[in-house]
Amino acid sequence: MDTGEDNIQAVYRPIALAYFWQWLGASLLFLTPFFFLYLLLRWGKIGLAILALLFIAGSYWLLRTVRLWRGNRLEIEEDQITIINQLGFFDRTVSKIKLDKINDISYRKKSFLQTLGNCGSVHIQVSASPEKLVVRNLKRPELVQAALYAAQNNFSEQGEREFTEAELLSVIREIRARIGEPRWKQIQKGDWKLKQNFIKEVGTSDKSKAEAIEQFFSRKI
């Protein structure tokens, strides 16, 4: 686990041994020219070409393996998680999931080696999605599961904040002045769709104010 910057609370990457065969193959390809250096040099230009080709191919394979190992990760933030699947040097997919959209978190150790090495995969069930997101080859997946549940609990507790009447009135006065009385009166009449769009619009710039408005409407509408 690595701690990150900004609002990233934790970063989890696959264990290095998950790429054992890539490390082995790349290392052999990289070192082969040195074992046959004398023979290749005797072949002249052809030998030098083979030497350069093996060296470049081995270096690329090693760098690609490092890229995959460091690029694949699960990031836990204050209000969401980010799952990054690094598929190649320049090929990656990024999934961002809000913590309140996660319905279930489980982990699996499916082999003797995973049990012995205490690693496995974490499965994340997201609401409105029939398939689970899977993050593979994580060290001590039970701790990753616990960290995700802890982040969810912290997020839920923050979302349950109750604003005082003074705070609510202050926010509402500011918002009414911003959007104008005609739109505000339409919302107060019970236009549910307009109210939801309005809360979403405010939330893009100030989540706290959006929560205050939602709390106000829950009392007033």
Side-chain angles (χ1 to χ4, degrees), residues 12 24 75 139 176 194 206 217:
Y12 298 90
L24 180 62
E75 299 176 351
K139 183 71 174 178
R176 287 179 68 171
L194 183 59
D206 194 323
F217 283 145

Side-chain angles (χ1 to χ4, degrees), residues 76-107:
I76 301 179
E77 302 175 36
E78 292 180 355
D79 60 346
Q80 67 181 9
I81 63 171
T82 302
I83 299 175
I84 301 176
N85 290 317
Q86 191 73 40
L87 306 174
F89 246 118
F90 308 104
D91 184 9
R92 66 162 53 180
T93 60
V94 179
S95 302
K96 291 184 177 291
I97 305 102
K98 291 293 184 181
L99 289 170
D100 58 356
K101 301 299 182 182
I102 298 176
N103 292 339
D104 180 67
I105 306 164
S106 59
Y107 69 88

